[in-house]
Amino acid sequence: MSNGPSLSRRSSLVDYISAIPRPRLASLRSRKSTASLRVDPYTPYAVYQQKMFPAILRDADVTQKLLEAILETPGGRRSVSRLARTCTAFKEPALNVLWRDLDSLTPLLGLFPSTILRRARRPGLGLTKPPEKQDWARFLAYAERVRSIAYVESSGNIHPTILPLLDEHKPVQHLLPNLASLTWKVESAASLERCRMFLGPKVEAVVLEVGTRSAKMNDLLEEIASHKGLTAFSFTLHTNLPDDLTETFHDNVALEKVALTAPGALAAKVGKWASALPQLKTFAVDLSARTTTAVEGFFEEISTGSGYSTPSSVGGTDSGVFSSDEFDFSEARKAAVRLTREGPRRGAFAKLNNLTLTGDAANLATFLRHLTSPLTQLDLVMEDPPAAVDWHDVCTIICDHFSDTLQSLRINATSGSRFGELVRATSRGGDAPMRELPLTYLSFLPRLWRLEIDLPESVIFQDRDIVHISRICPNIEVLRLCPFARFPLSGPPPPLTLESIVPLTRDCRRLHTLGLVVNAAELQSDDVYSTRVVCSRSLLRLHVGHSWVKNPLQTAVLLSHLTPHLETLKFFNEKNRAGIVEANAISWQRVAELLPHLQHIRLSERKLQPPPAPYVPPPKADKGVDATVVTVDAAVSAHPEVAEFAVQAEPELVDFGVQMAPETVEVSIDATPIYMEVEIMAAPEMCEQSVDAVPQTDEKGTEPMALAESDTGSEASDEGDHLANAVPSISMFMPSAAMGIANITYRVVHFYTAPFRFVFSFMPTMPTMPLLSRFSTVHASPSNYELKYAPEQEKHALADSEQSSSAAPAAVAHTNGSAHMADINPVCQ
């Protein structure tokens, strides 16, 4: 970028200082000539040195302002350092200004002795050994002057081993005792812990940017929050915010600047905490990659002035007395707030005057809709290009809510949009697409003095936009409309021309800085030269960037007429800059060379013109006016006029008949049952099982019982009985209990079958009952009762069985305790 030859006719700072009146000192020759007249001819040199002090050095604040102004000029740091080395009076103030703000640790590391530095000219490469106590002397002396310092790990200018050495061998707890502002941007958790040695007791502002979340981050945040004088806090995290962030900083009510850039920054509790800070004046939040509902959720718990605490509010939960028995509709009411977009939260962020938002235009409009704060500065970092509807909403909301207070409006592009432009500029991807950004959506902004727009794609502005800005912003001082935009020669030229800035030079009498891309083509009309109303007395700096130009002389003449007091004309002329057209750069260089001479001629001609006629005020005369109030009594007779009015109202009757015939519908239903044949295959499951029924036997020996012989008479009479008794009965081999059960069973069966046997007795051909006969043969001999009442045939059968059993006693086989094997059929066939 080239500034061209200096167009300034103002006295420089050096001339201003030299013009300060100083006490005139007599020359050495005059002092020698008058030496004989003095009593004490010797005067110390310190006296002359004190007399040579500029008057500006008598006020420390003015001296500091002067040094700060020198520091901001190109090469200002070198100039201030030279002042500190050459002038004792400037030493302390100059050193304080030089070491007050540091953007790196490198200057402090250079204070160590060169014997422990790996390379003295590059102290950031590391130390050869740990510093000892005497090596810290210069470091600590200059550390007291540091008020602000920044460390960016990604820059790579500090070796990773330096911070652990400083932390382990530091002679004091805090290396920078007077530090007020700390900027710490790291990626690793180990480097994050090293910032503790810089958190002195006087820290008021902390800018913390961390790549990954560490386990000790909460402890570090608690240490930062312990500084009760903390007024500014900026936190950038690539992962979610800590859950207890709002609780950690709950007591830091002195915060004036807060910036949050991390997922979770739009949580409802974060919004409630930020809105409750009483001294908050600057707030920055990132809305990128978030939905509109998430942005609305930021204001859900902000109840100040929103009516949430009243029963009739949409967001309220209390419905009056005895409301504990009612259903809680809080969630439904919050959803209704999001859908209906109820008005802004009046009272939230009461003192907020500086706001920075990042995201797409829709989220920006949603966030701004909820604010009524007296914003004076608004910075919007939005995605480019924005949607037409969203851009219209943003402009409308800004003018409706902040038109009375807004002083500065800056619109920039996000890093994602910038990256796309960078890729296209450094490769053969072609020229970036260009779109129009209408400014006619803005309305009256009487206090706006700065308007800056810098977008990569939305770079086209029309003449109507310039006219509109000159009308709605009469107090504009700085106006930049994409001054870095490039219009390739293969495409259309810039739509704005030098004649387009005429409304700005005519109506904006405070405009001193203007930046835009124009097409300095041939003038369509010379009417602009016919009046001096279009000449701007205030415009001092003009930045035309990649503007087109055809005739350098005509362009210089027009600029000398529109901006006769212009001091700086900037344009791009670097050959290694992407998009540079060498022909345009050469032409603008020619314009910069011609313009000072043309301005001098223009101003000289205006001085030769006759001065305008002096203003003659109209004649005045003193005159008295009798201001006595004349009062008059007046009465008004008010008699109402009464009129009778009658209306005959006869209703009109109409006969109306309606024939109502119900409609009938016949419906038949087929009620035939549905039959279904189902076959089931029932195959019984067969199971074979065998049972071993062999009883356990035991062999025992018995002695024969000897029978006593009786007399012959008795033997003859009892011969039959003896034979019968000689055969052992079955009861001998059966237990008494089992024999009793069998006898009882038999008698029960016999008793209950008596009626049947009685009936069967009248049938001559009735067969005998084998069961009874079987029982009779097995168990016992028939009794007298049975023989008496049994039928004849059964009687004979019973008698025969009794005789056979008694006649053949020897047929009964006795096994003497042994058992016979019996065949038993299986249970299941």
Side-chain angles (χ1 to χ4, degrees):
M1 183 182 297
S2 174
N3 298 335
S6 177
L7 305 179
S8 176
R9 283 168 301 280
R10 295 185 177 181
S11 58
S12 63
L13 183 61
V14 178
D15 298 336
Y16 177 76
I17 296 176
S18 62
I20 297 176
R22 306 173 187 174
R24 184 176 179 84
L25 299 177
S27 63
L28 294 178
R29 182 177 300 176
S30 63
R31 287 202 299 269
K32 289 182 181 179
S33 62
T34 58
S36 60
L37 301 178
R38 297 180 181 178
V39 178
D40 187 3
Y42 175 75
T43 303
Y45 181 74
V47 176
Y48 302 115
Q49 186 180 10
Q50 293 176 1
K51 293 180 179 179
M52 290 176 62
F53 282 177
I56 195 173
L57 295 180
R58 298 174 184 174
D59 192 340
D61 295 336
V62 176
T63 304
Q64 184 178 359
K65 295 295 183 181
L66 173 63
L67 295 174
E68 291 177 354
I70 298 175
L71 188 66
E72 294 177 357
T73 59
R77 184 171 293 274
R78 179 177 299 179
S79 301
V80 175
S81 63
R82 289 173 178 173
L83 284 174
R85 290 194 299 265
T86 57
C87 183
T88 307
F90 275 111
K91 179 182 177 180
E92 290 299 324
L95 288 178
N96 292 335
V97 171
L98 280 175
W99 289 89
R100 185 185 58 184
D101 301 322
L102 299 180
D103 57 356
S104 176
L105 295 175
T106 304
L108 288 173
L109 297 177
L111 298 175
F112 285 109
S114 59
T115 56
I116 65 173
L117 294 175
R118 291 183 179 179
R119 294 186 63 179
R121 294 184 178 273
R122 298 183 63 184
L125 294 180
L127 305 176
T128 57
K129 64 177 182 179
E132 298 179 359
K133 185 176 182 181
Q134 62 272 15
D135 298 334
W136 289 91
R138 293 185 62 198
F139 185 99
L140 297 178
Y142 282 87
E144 296 179 356
R145 305 178 188 270
V146 180
R147 300 295 185 269
S148 173
I149 195 169
Y151 172 70
V152 181
E153 186 181 19
S154 60
S155 63
N157 56 358
I158 302 297
H159 198 271
T161 60
I162 294 180
L163 290 179
L165 282 176
L166 296 180
D167 195 10
E168 293 175 5
H169 300 87
K170 61 180 184 293
V172 292
Q173 182 179 3
H174 301 107
L175 295 180
L176 306 177
N178 297 324
L179 187 68
S181 176
L182 175 63
T183 301
W184 202 261
K185 300 180 180 181
V186 295
E187 294 292 336
S188 59
S191 300
L192 179 64
E193 291 295 319
R194 304 302 178 188
C195 72
R196 294 177 181 268
M197 57 183 171
F198 298 103
L199 291 174
K202 297 182 180 180
V203 170
E204 298 178 355
V206 176
V207 178
L208 194 62
E209 183 175 341
V210 187
T212 58
R213 185 173 178 179
S214 63
K216 298 182 179 180
M217 181 177 293
N218 291 335
D219 298 338
L220 178 61
L221 292 177
E222 290 179 359
E223 182 176 353
I224 295 174
S226 63
H227 295 76
K228 300 305 179 183
L230 190 67
T231 58
F233 177 67
S234 175
F235 189 36
T236 301
L237 185 62
H238 297 166
T239 58
N240 291 330
L241 282 178
D243 297 333
D244 55 349
L245 177 68
T246 57
E247 289 79 6
T248 303
F249 290 90
H250 183 268
D251 297 333
N252 297 95
V253 294
L255 282 173
E256 298 180 2
K257 299 180 181 180
V258 174
L260 298 176
T261 306
L266 294 180
K269 61 179 182 180
V270 176
K272 182 179 180 180
W273 166 72
S275 64
L277 294 175
Q279 303 298 329
L280 185 63
K281 299 179 181 179
T282 303
F283 184 63
V285 66
D286 187 7
L287 311 179
S288 302
R290 300 294 185 272
T291 61
T292 306
T293 306
V295 179
E296 292 280 352
F298 182 81
F299 298 91
E300 281 188 356
E301 296 185 7
I302 300 177
S303 58
T304 305
S306 63
Y308 271 24
S309 59
T310 59
S312 61
S313 173
V314 178
T317 58
D318 187 13
S319 60
V321 185
F322 306 112
S323 60
S324 59
D325 299 334
E326 299 181 2
F327 186 78
D328 186 7
F329 291 95
S330 59
E331 296 298 329
R333 286 167 178 150
K334 290 179 181 179
V337 170
R338 289 193 294 267
L339 292 177
T340 58
R341 300 182 182 270
E342 194 181 19
R345 270 66 172 169
R346 302 187 181 277
F349 302 99
K351 295 185 178 181
L352 185 65
N353 55 26
N354 191 333
L355 179 63
T356 302
L357 299 177
T358 303
D360 56 2
N363 290 342
L364 300 181
T366 303
F367 194 95
L368 294 174
R369 186 178 290 110
H370 293 280
L371 294 180
T372 56
S373 306
L375 293 183
T376 58
Q377 181 175 347
L378 178 61
D379 295 341
L380 302 179
V381 183
M382 67 178 184
E383 299 288 343
D384 186 44
V389 178
D390 298 336
W391 172 246
H392 179 271
D393 292 342
V394 170
C395 295
T396 304
I397 294 173
I398 290 175
C399 298
D400 291 346
H401 290 194
F402 318 112
S403 60
D404 297 333
T405 58
L406 190 62
Q407 299 178 9
S408 175
L409 176 61
R410 294 187 294 186
I411 301 175
N412 297 318
T414 59
S415 57
S417 302
R418 295 291 184 190
F419 181 75
E421 181 190 16
L422 179 62
V423 170
R424 285 188 294 266
T426 56
S427 63
R428 297 181 179 180
D431 298 325
M434 293 180 291
R435 295 176 175 83
E436 182 179 355
L437 187 69
L439 300 180
T440 54
Y441 297 150
L442 296 173
S443 58
F444 191 59
L445 298 171
R447 297 180 180 270
L448 189 68
W449 64 270
R450 179 192 295 271
L451 176 59
E452 296 182 3
I453 300 176
D454 187 10
L455 300 175
E457 295 186 17
S458 303
V459 297
I460 298 179
F461 301 95
Q462 304 294 338
D463 292 342
R464 60 177 177 271
D465 297 326
I466 302 299
V467 174
H468 187 71
I469 290 297
S470 64
R471 186 174 63 254
I472 67 172
C473 304
N475 296 319
I476 193 73
E477 298 181 11
V478 179
L479 178 62
R480 294 187 177 96
L481 301 178
C482 299
F484 303 100
R486 294 186 298 110
F487 288 83
L489 296 177
S490 59
L496 296 179
T497 63
L498 281 179
E499 293 181 89
S500 302
I501 69 173
V502 170
L504 297 175
T505 59
R506 181 184 62 237
D507 300 331
C508 303
R509 311 308 296 179
R510 298 184 180 181
L511 182 65
H512 59 77
T513 302
L514 177 63
L516 72 171
V517 180
V518 298
N519 180 20
E522 299 289 339
L523 287 178
Q524 298 180 358
S525 176
D526 294 337
D527 296 339
V528 68
Y529 294 110
S530 61
T531 177
R532 292 175 54 182
V533 178
V534 298
C535 299
S536 176
R537 179 63 181 85
S538 60
L539 189 58
L540 303 177
R541 288 169 288 274
L542 178 62
H543 185 194
V544 293
H546 295 280
S547 297
W548 293 14
V549 59
K550 291 183 178 180
N551 192 341
L553 179 59
Q554 184 179 8
T555 303
V557 171
L558 181 58
L559 286 178
S560 66
H561 177 69
L562 297 177
T563 59
H565 301 276
L566 188 67
E567 295 180 357
T568 304
L569 177 63
K570 293 183 179 181
F571 55 92
F572 293 118
N573 65 348
E574 294 88 347
K575 295 182 180 180
N576 57 353
R577 186 179 181 90
I580 284 291
V581 179
E582 188 174 359
N584 291 333
I586 295 175
S587 299
W588 281 112
Q589 181 67 30
R590 183 61 177 166
V591 171
E593 294 173 357
L594 295 174
L595 187 57
H597 307 286
L598 295 176
Q599 287 177 325
H600 180 68
I601 296 173
R602 185 79 65 180
L603 295 176
S604 300
E605 291 176 350
R606 292 180 181 177
K607 290 180 181 179
L608 297 177
Q609 293 180 358
Y615 174 74
V616 179
K620 298 180 180 179
D622 295 336
K623 185 177 181 180
V625 178
D626 185 7
T628 304
V629 179
V630 179
T631 59
V632 178
D633 295 334
V636 178
S637 176
H639 295 282
E641 295 182 358
V642 182
E644 295 181 358
F645 185 76
V647 177
Q648 182 178 2
E650 295 181 0
E652 295 183 359
L653 304 178
V654 179
D655 295 335
F656 185 79
V658 179
Q659 182 178 1
M660 300 177 61
E663 296 182 0
T664 58
V665 179
E666 296 181 359
V667 179
S668 59
I669 300 174
D670 186 6
T672 304
I674 299 174
Y675 297 93
M676 180 181 295
E677 295 182 359
V678 179
E679 296 182 358
I680 300 175
M681 182 178 180
E685 296 181 359
M686 306 298 294
C687 179
E688 295 183 1
Q689 185 176 3
S690 61
V691 180
D692 186 5
V694 178
Q696 296 180 0
T697 59
D698 190 8
E699 295 182 1
K700 292 182 180 181
T702 59
E703 294 181 359
M705 183 181 293
L707 300 176
E709 293 183 359
S710 60
D711 52 337
T712 59
S714 61
E715 291 176 1
S717 61
D718 297 333
E719 183 179 0
D721 298 334
H722 177 72
L723 182 60
N725 295 331
V727 179
S729 176
I730 193 172
S731 60
M732 297 175 61
F733 305 96
M734 297 181 62
S736 61
M739 190 64 187
I741 293 174
N743 194 10
I744 292 174
T745 303
Y746 169 75
R747 292 187 180 277
V748 170
V749 172
H750 190 271
F751 176 77
Y752 281 102
T753 56
F756 297 99
R757 288 186 283 105
F758 178 76
V759 173
F760 291 154
S761 64
F762 294 98
M763 296 182 182
T765 59
M766 179 67 68
T768 60
M769 297 181 64
L771 179 62
L772 298 177
S773 62
R774 186 175 302 175
F775 274 105
S776 63
T777 57
V778 172
H779 294 282
S781 59
S783 62
N784 295 330
Y785 180 81
E786 293 176 352
L787 294 176
K788 180 179 179 181
Y789 291 101
E792 294 297 330
Q793 295 180 358
E794 189 173 352
K795 290 179 180 181
H796 293 294
L798 294 174
D800 294 339
S801 62
E802 184 179 0
Q803 291 178 2
S804 60
S805 61
S806 61
V812 179
H814 297 273
T815 61
N816 195 17
S818 62
H820 293 278
M821 296 296 296
D823 295 333
I824 300 175
N825 295 330
V827 177
C828 300
Q829 297 293 335

